[in-house]
Amino acid sequence: MGDGTLERLASWEREEFAALPTRLLPMPRMAASLGASDLWVKMDAETGFALGGNKVRKLEFELAPSRLDGVTHLLTAGGPQSNHCRVTAAAAARLGLGCTLVLSGPEPVHPTGNALLHRLFNADVVTVADRAERTPRMEAVAEALAQAGERPLVVPIGASTGLGCLGYVRAAVELVEQLDAIGPRPPRTVVFVPTSSCGTLAGLLLGMSILGRPDVALIGVSADAPADELMAATKQIARDGARLLAWEGDLFADDVAFVDTQVGDGYGVSTPASLEAIALFGQSEGLVLDPTYTAKAAAGMLEWLSGDHAKPEDRVVFLHTGGHPGLLA
Ligand SMILES: Cc1ncc(COP(=O)(O)O)c(C=O)c1O
């Protein structure tokens, strides 16, 4: 380090949406029930704005004031229960901008959870039948808005860009400070990260690489895609973030691993293991997981803890990325 990268990051322009730092909490009762000694949760469910979650940190960078110069309308896309769309719609409301969300269907008859919040924040919802139609439709809507005299800004799906991932480079700095304040550093700290469009994991990977912390291993647990796709996307986004920060070091790519054994019948479809994880977090720690991302990631962590990879001296951290409106859908 010492090359000014962290200073560039700290002074990078952003919109301050999040309540930071989020808490790093011990999970003693869950640790006892699992026979683990050193188990923690990083509460990014509590980033605060619009019910919080990981998207808040990314959108702080994507929606920095100079990027919004002249912009009148935000446009993004996601699934019918998208957390990213919830926070984008809330940001538009807060900033006095219009918002259109392109959501894959079906259109809910009685919107609940995030679908209810998309509408509460007054977004225009355009429903498409299939996930593959979202990006082309977003482009078409952007063109129509521009022709009508609006200045739309398209926020890529999940805000998982080099710029958006800077929110999780900052989170890496925050987490490392909290971990170091616990006491002597264990040989290895393993952080479980719910993963889909990979911006969260990419930011953490870039952050740990910049900070020179190979003792922090990251495990991305997939909500949908196979591990090799996630690895490629994570590295690409992290490299894009590194370029923005003008950081020329090597990514600690050996310190990131992927678990894709919890996808089950697909994105958003609960499995026996994910339902068990929701119950365990609720009953032992009073924590609310969401069915699509954090429940599957927690199931991946539980599977890992009971297997051969875990070592008794490991410190284990679960990154709680939020999404709880999805549980109430
Ligand atoms: C609650 C929650 N957790 C995790 C993720 C995955 O984060 P990323 O898309 O950065 O991989 C998402 C993304 O949609 C999310 O909404």
Side-chain angles (χ1 to χ4, degrees):
M1 270 181 302
D3 61 356
T5 306
L6 291 178
E7 290 72 15
R8 283 193 288 285
L9 176 68
S11 61
W12 199 282
E13 185 202 21
R14 64 193 173 95
E15 181 68 45
E16 293 191 16
F17 287 126
L20 300 177
T22 59
R23 296 182 298 165
L24 179 67
L25 299 174
M27 295 200 283
R29 271 157 297 283
M30 191 173 336
S33 74
L34 298 174
S37 59
D38 200 4
L39 190 56
W40 299 77
V41 59
K42 171 75 171 154
M43 288 300 295
D44 272 18
E46 296 178 346
T47 52
F49 181 65
L51 299 184
N54 59 338
K55 303 304 174 186
V56 181
R57 289 190 192 261
K58 299 185 198 179
L59 287 170
E60 288 199 328
F61 285 82
E62 282 286 339
L63 303 180
S66 67
R67 286 178 49 81
L68 294 180
D69 197 19
V71 166
T72 60
H73 203 101
L74 302 182
L75 184 54
T76 196
Q81 281 293 329
S82 167
N83 297 301
H84 163 68
C85 289
R86 165 185 28 104
V87 183
T88 304
R94 178 132 184 109
L95 297 168
L97 305 173
C99 182
T100 301
L101 304 175
V102 177
L103 303 176
S104 39
E107 174 105 31
V109 181
H110 302 293
T112 55
N114 282 308
L116 175 68
L117 295 168
H118 298 154
R119 290 151 178 91
L120 177 83
F121 297 135
N122 207 24
D124 292 331
V125 174
V126 175
T127 304
V128 293
D130 193 81
R131 282 167 73 126
E133 287 176 44
R134 292 183 308 201
T135 301
R137 179 63 76 88
M138 214 167 32
E139 282 158 12
V141 173
E143 206 174 300
L145 284 166
Q147 274 173 13
E150 298 280 352
R151 288 272 306 277
L153 175 74
V154 174
V155 183
I157 291 180
S160 283
T161 59
L163 182 61
C165 95
L166 299 189
Y168 270 89
V169 181
R170 284 189 96 237
V173 175
E174 185 182 303
L175 175 59
V176 156
E177 274 174 20
Q178 291 171 319
L179 289 170
D180 288 350
I182 294 172
R185 198 183 282 184
R188 182 170 74 160
T189 297
V190 183
V191 184
F192 283 84
V193 184
T195 299
S196 178
S197 63
C198 300
T200 304
L201 187 58
L204 291 174
L205 169 62
L206 176 57
M208 295 305 170
S209 305
I210 292 170
L211 291 163
R213 292 297 295 257
D215 59 304
V216 181
L218 303 167
I219 300 187
V221 186
S222 179
D224 41 19
D228 55 343
E229 278 179 31
L230 297 181
M231 176 57 120
T234 301
K235 281 192 190 162
Q236 186 57 52
I237 296 166
R239 278 192 218 108
D240 292 346
R243 203 169 309 119
L244 288 175
L245 289 174
W247 182 73
E248 292 179 348
D250 291 325
L251 291 173
F252 290 158
D254 289 347
D255 284 334
V256 60
F258 292 88
V259 168
D260 60 5
T261 53
Q262 301 297 329
V263 176
D265 285 338
Y267 178 82
V269 183
S270 293
T271 62
S274 72
L275 293 173
E276 219 172 283
I278 291 176
L280 181 67
F281 270 67
Q283 290 163 15
S284 58
E285 298 291 345
L287 293 172
V288 181
L289 300 182
D290 85 295
T292 304
Y293 303 98
T294 53
K296 288 187 172 174
M301 181 180 80
L302 297 175
E303 179 188 52
W304 186 89
L305 281 170
S306 65
D308 298 338
H309 297 298
K311 298 181 191 155
E313 64 275 19
D314 284 335
R315 172 165 290 153
V316 176
V317 178
F318 182 73
L319 178 68
H320 191 330
T321 48
H324 48 268
L327 186 68
L328 307 176

